[in-house]
């Protein structure tokens, strides 16, 4: 069992050339404090990358390198949200958003979109959620936990509503490079000069280059907000780990190698995504949306009559399969599965989930007949 888990984890690993660049920096003595907002060469490489990708002329000072994409999100929220401000959070949401908003003294306003609408909120829903107290809207496409990706037109409509209302947008694009079925992820900061003034773009290296343990993230923001975020980071943590930033720099300085590593990973993820998605939809009582990004599937389990926590507990108890209960993401009818694991684990997991749900469906039938 342990060996199996080890093998599963090793399939998603940091590319060698990135690790080597970090090891070299460590050897070369890059072990001291640097500028709080990040290694100047790395900030510059990130700014150049955004500029090259059509975000307009991005200055180095608009980029912060933080200890993780999660911290980037928190800094963004802290920088713009004051006590009592409302923040619109579409659900299913990444677990940390509402908690971060509360830590900043803000009030999360949850807007729900289930699998019937592809886990994407409508312009109408957003319009209704925005009040004079709204300060920020959080968008996360591709999404964790649903894997949903907003088509550009839909996202543009949402961003237009935010611009008209003059509210900031935190666009968490940590999965921007992990997309399938030929879809592309879109970045609100690119939509218009007006949008660029209101969008804080969070991203990082964790997911694209399998660097979750490195603790490196990025935030790109309008100049004034970026300066505030740099101040915040300076008071809260100082710089992200110095030698780790040299590894990230290698990813940007050797784009061919980086692209090849990502492409190889995506090909494998894609195959596993389709396999897991088909397998889940063949399970009695499950309905699974075909996600187009990240590395999660988020099947609806409500037809089996258990809430997501009971479903997850029972599945773990009876079949030793771990899934995350949707209630943690504000969606109690669902559970989250990751396909960033081996084919073997996916096959075995599907077999066990199938057995488990078949059993649940059978024991449920007499109950519903009685009702
Ligand atoms: C993983 C993740 C992040 C950032 O993770 P870090 O490890 O802190 O870089 C940010 N947002 C979402 C939605 C994530 O799933």
């Amino acid at each position: 069992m342990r060996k199996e888990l080890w093998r599963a984890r090793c399939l998603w690993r940091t590319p060698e050339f990135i690790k080597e660049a970090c090891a070299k920096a460590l050897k070369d003595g890059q072990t001291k404090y640097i500028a709080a907002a990040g290694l100047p060469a790395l900030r510059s490489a990130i700014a150049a990358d955004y500029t090259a990708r059509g975000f307009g002329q991005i200055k180095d000072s608009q980029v912060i390198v933080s200890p993780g994409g999660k911290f980037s999100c928190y800094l963004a929220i802290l920088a713009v949200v004051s006590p009592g401000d409302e923040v619109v959070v579409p659900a299913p949401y990444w677990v940390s958003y509402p908690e971060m908003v509360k830590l900043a003294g803000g009030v999360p306003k949850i807007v729900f979109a289930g699998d019937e609408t592809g886990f994407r909120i409508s312009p109408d829903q957003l319009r209704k959620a925005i009040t004079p107290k709204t300060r920020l809207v959080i968008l996360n496409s591709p999404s964790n936990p649903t894997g949903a990706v907003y088509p550009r037109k839909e996202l543009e409509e949402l961003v237009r509503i935010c611009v008209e209302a003059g509210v900031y947008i935190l666009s968490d694009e940590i999965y921007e490079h992990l997309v399938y079925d030929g879809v592309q992820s879109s970045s609100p900061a690119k939509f218009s000069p007006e949008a660029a003034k209101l969008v804080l773009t969070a991203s990082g290296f964790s997911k694209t280059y399998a660097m979750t343990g490195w603790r490196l993230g990025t935030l790109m923001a309008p100049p004034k907000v970026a300066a505030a975020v740099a101040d915040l980071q300076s008071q809260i943590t100082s710089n992200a780990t110095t030698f780790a930033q040299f590894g990230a720099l290698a990813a940007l300085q050797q784009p061919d190698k980086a692209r090849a590593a990502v492409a190889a990973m995506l090909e494998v993820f894609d195959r596993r995504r389709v396999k897991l998605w088909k397998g889940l939809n063949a399970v009695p009582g499950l309905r699974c949306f075909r996600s187009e990004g990240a590395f999660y599937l988020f099947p609806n389990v409500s037809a089996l009559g258990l809430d997501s926590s009971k479903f997850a507990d029972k599945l773990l108890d009876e079949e030793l399969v771990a899934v995350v209960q949707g209630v943690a993401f504000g969606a109690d009818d669902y559970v989250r599965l990751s396909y960033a694991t081996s084919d073997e684990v996916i096959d075995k997991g599907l077999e066990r989930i199938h057995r488990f749900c078949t059993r649940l469906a059978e024991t449920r039938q007499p109950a519903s007949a009685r009702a």
Side-chain angles (χ1 to χ4, degrees):
M1 185 68 181
R2 202 175 299 141
K3 200 165 148 204
E4 195 174 286
L5 285 173
W6 176 82
R7 230 182 299 135
R9 253 188 247 118
C10 281
L11 287 161
W12 184 48
R13 54 182 174 243
T14 308
E16 282 307 316
F17 78 99
I18 295 178
K19 289 195 271 188
E20 279 160 17
C22 173
K24 179 174 185 303
L26 190 53
K27 231 180 196 166
D28 290 349
Q30 298 290 355
T31 56
K32 308 282 167 59
Y33 289 132
I34 52 168
L39 184 70
L42 179 56
R43 292 175 80 191
S44 186
I46 294 165
D49 183 55
Y50 274 123
T51 301
R53 288 161 53 203
F55 282 73
Q57 190 63 45
I58 302 301
K59 297 191 205 76
D60 300 2
S61 59
Q62 288 178 257
V63 174
I64 312 294
V65 180
S66 80
K70 179 175 277 190
F71 199 66
S72 296
C73 293
Y74 187 42
L75 287 173
I77 290 167
L78 278 180
V80 303
V81 175
S82 300
D85 285 349
E86 292 178 1
V87 178
V88 176
V89 183
Y93 46 71
W94 188 41
V95 277
S96 301
Y97 299 142
E99 303 309 315
M100 288 173 172
V101 169
K102 286 188 246 170
L103 283 167
V107 181
K109 290 282 158 182
I110 310 296
V111 180
F112 187 82
D115 54 353
E116 309 85 356
T117 57
F119 298 116
R120 306 191 305 272
I121 63 165
S122 69
D124 240 19
Q125 281 181 293
L126 179 60
R127 243 180 248 115
K128 286 193 184 118
I130 291 177
T131 76
K133 284 187 171 175
T134 306
R135 180 72 168 161
L136 177 71
V137 173
I138 299 182
L139 298 173
N140 173 218
S141 169
S143 152
N144 176 3
T146 67
V149 183
Y150 279 87
R152 178 168 176 137
K153 279 231 159 61
E154 275 185 48
L155 204 56
E156 275 176 341
E157 186 67 32
L158 299 182
V159 170
R160 201 171 306 128
I161 292 166
C162 295
V163 169
E164 274 163 21
V167 303
Y168 283 107
I169 296 166
L170 166 57
S171 181
D172 182 351
E173 302 177 12
I174 195 83
Y175 295 102
E176 60 188 322
H177 300 298
L178 306 188
V179 284
Y180 317 94
D181 289 345
V183 303
Q184 290 214 323
S185 72
S186 315
S187 301
K190 279 161 79 165
F191 292 169
S192 67
E194 294 73 32
K197 288 188 186 123
L198 291 168
V199 179
L200 289 71
T201 305
S203 190
F205 308 92
S206 298
K207 308 293 160 58
T208 308
Y209 303 112
M211 289 170 68
T212 50
W214 289 57
R215 310 315 304 133
L216 283 179
T218 62
L219 188 71
M220 195 273 283
K224 266 195 197 146
V225 181
V229 168
D231 277 351
L232 266 172
Q233 173 152 297
S234 155
Q235 299 299 347
I236 300 174
T237 76
S238 302
N239 62 275
T241 304
T242 304
F243 46 84
Q245 294 190 48
F246 282 86
L249 181 59
L252 288 162
Q253 283 178 337
Q254 299 177 60
D256 292 344
K257 277 191 192 170
R259 252 193 302 274
V262 175
M265 182 178 85
L266 272 184
E267 194 187 315
V268 177
F269 277 179
D270 188 23
R271 192 167 40 73
R272 292 183 182 150
R273 173 185 68 110
V274 174
K275 179 203 280 207
L276 185 59
W277 173 71
K278 283 187 180 154
L280 288 171
N281 274 319
V283 170
L286 295 191
R287 181 177 81 216
C288 189
F289 171 75
R290 182 175 174 124
S291 72
E292 297 169 320
F295 39 63
Y296 309 103
L297 288 171
F298 205 55
N300 188 320
V301 300
S302 62
L304 292 165
L306 298 178
D307 66 35
S308 63
S309 304
K310 288 213 184 80
F311 182 94
D313 283 352
K314 214 168 148 64
L315 178 61
L316 183 60
D317 275 352
E318 296 182 12
E319 295 288 349
L320 302 175
V321 175
V323 297
V324 184
Q325 63 275 31
V327 68
F329 309 101
D332 207 11
D333 285 343
Y334 303 82
V335 296
R336 191 192 72 177
L337 289 91
S338 163
Y339 48 86
T341 184
S342 69
D343 285 287
E344 204 183 330
V345 168
I346 291 173
D347 290 337
K348 210 170 270 181
L350 271 174
E351 195 186 303
R352 294 178 188 187
I353 290 170
H354 199 285
R355 194 160 61 210
F356 174 76
C357 292
T358 303
R359 214 157 51 229
L360 266 186
E362 276 164 5
T363 52
R364 191 169 151 69
Q365 253 159 14
S368 49
R370 271 198 308 273

